[in-house]
Amino acid sequence: MVPALTCVCGRAPLNTKIVGGVDAAPGSWPWQASLQSFGHFCGGSLINNLWVLTAAHCFTTTDTTGFTVFLGRQDQAGSNPNEQSRTISRIVCHPDYSGTTNDNDICLLELSSAVTFTDYIAPVCLAADGSTFNSGIINWVTGWGTTSFGGSAADILQEVDLPIVGNRECDCSYGRITNNMICAGLSAGGKDSCQGDSGGPLVGKQGVQWVQSGVVSFGQGCALPNFPGVYARVSEYQAWINGIITTNQPGFVDFRSAGINSDATFNCGDPPSGPVTASPTAPARKWPFDSICGQ
């Protein structure tokens, strides 16, 4: 019998990180998935022993032929002794996903068979409905994407810490941020997810558990000032995810930020953001338009 996911999810015993870095140590992020078809094209996160969460824009088809999910992978170019791989048996993307607005950019992948949990392969917890991620709290994003916009992809899994940017502030830059989205980045730029990181997890730590707040979705360039990365807000999709995964459901955790959410009274003229107008074609972060920048 598989234990309740809320008891085992989000634990990374090999993760000893306190501040940011470049290369992630093996086992630091045991839920990280690499989605491949003739090479890596998107990230994802393991949410139980049979399902991976990713972005809807990573898939333009429900045909599972030719896709492989790698878990426990560290190096895209070298050996990975802790790795397990699976083909995909089902692709279920959100029915209301819009490729124009990037709203509802979330997708579930059912693996061909269950994976075995180890120190290097384990599910992440998911933010439950009503979770709060106040402006300024630190989350982490991981992936093998490019380390600059249009640059080379990373071989070793990358990690970067980013502050959450409130939706009101984020919308000053993009003009199309919905309640289904969450933003993270520095007003000065320099750190971000980028091309090839799409579908990967944005996570925050609560107690001993890591909780996924977002799924890498889109952005204006990578790591530009006043243009934080935009992610699908996981807490908005608890009902949808549990409607698809009806047995051994993922571990949803109520994530609560301390203090007051400064974004509640933010106006576009307030620092650190100014009234910046974004291109309406801010690209989704699917390869070759996705990765960790500014490491």
Side-chain angles (χ1 to χ4, degrees):
M1 180 177 179
V2 178
L5 265 294
T6 51
C7 297
V8 300
C9 68
R11 297 173 188 266
L14 301 181
N15 188 326
T16 58
K17 296 294 182 188
I18 298 174
V19 296
V22 183
D23 293 354
S28 294
W29 312 103
W31 41 82
Q32 177 73 46
S34 173
L35 312 185
Q36 302 208 8
S37 177
F38 304 103
H40 172 86
F41 68 93
C42 272
S45 55
L46 186 68
I47 58 174
N48 70 7
N49 62 351
L50 201 60
W51 288 86
V52 165
L53 182 66
T54 188
H57 77 258
C58 290
F59 290 90
T60 58
T61 178
T62 56
D63 183 355
T64 61
T65 305
F67 295 111
T68 304
V69 177
F70 290 90
L71 295 155
R73 171 165 285 215
Q74 172 73 4
D75 189 346
Q76 297 286 8
S79 63
N80 291 281
N82 305 302
E83 183 174 86
Q84 297 177 42
S85 64
R86 297 290 187 274
T87 55
I88 298 172
S89 64
R90 185 160 50 132
I91 301 168
V92 186
C93 292
H94 198 282
D96 296 325
Y97 165 65
S98 168
T100 302
T101 65
N102 296 111
D103 203 16
N104 301 302
D105 192 6
I106 198 163
C107 192
L108 290 166
L109 309 177
E110 185 175 13
L111 305 179
S112 55
S113 62
V115 297
T116 301
F117 295 160
T118 69
D119 280 351
Y120 300 90
I121 299 174
V124 69
C125 301
L126 300 180
D129 183 32
S131 291
T132 59
F133 293 88
N134 288 353
S135 296
I137 71 164
I138 296 300
N139 275 209
W140 292 75
V141 63
T142 50
W144 288 277
T146 62
T147 53
S148 62
F149 186 73
S152 299
D155 288 331
I156 304 297
L157 181 64
Q158 301 289 291
E159 61 184 20
V160 66
D161 58 322
L162 297 168
I164 294 296
V165 176
N167 277 29
R168 286 168 64 102
E169 180 179 342
C170 191
D171 197 52
C172 293
S173 297
Y174 288 101
R176 57 189 176 104
I177 302 302
T178 73
N179 291 335
N180 298 322
M181 301 172 186
I182 185 170
C183 303
L186 299 172
S187 59
K191 288 184 176 183
D192 200 1
S193 54
C194 197
Q195 304 157 330
D197 291 322
S198 276
L202 178 73
V203 298
K205 197 171 189 183
Q206 181 167 261
V208 298
Q209 292 179 302
W210 290 92
V211 180
Q212 184 170 352
S213 55
V215 176
V216 178
S217 182
F218 71 96
Q220 183 71 20
C222 295
L224 296 178
N226 296 317
F227 284 104
V230 187
Y231 303 75
R233 186 179 290 262
V234 171
S235 61
E236 292 294 307
Y237 298 98
Q238 181 173 358
W240 179 75
I241 290 171
N242 283 339
I244 303 298
I245 306 174
T246 56
T247 59
N248 188 27
Q249 291 181 322
F252 281 91
V253 171
D254 186 22
F255 191 102
R256 291 290 166 178
S257 295
I260 298 172
N261 185 11
S262 62
D263 191 62
T265 56
F266 189 90
N267 295 306
C268 287
D270 294 344
S273 290
V276 183
T277 302
S279 162
T281 58
R285 294 192 157 173
K286 181 171 181 285
W287 183 262
F289 300 116
D290 318 25
S291 175
I292 301 295
C293 301
Q295 296 292 307

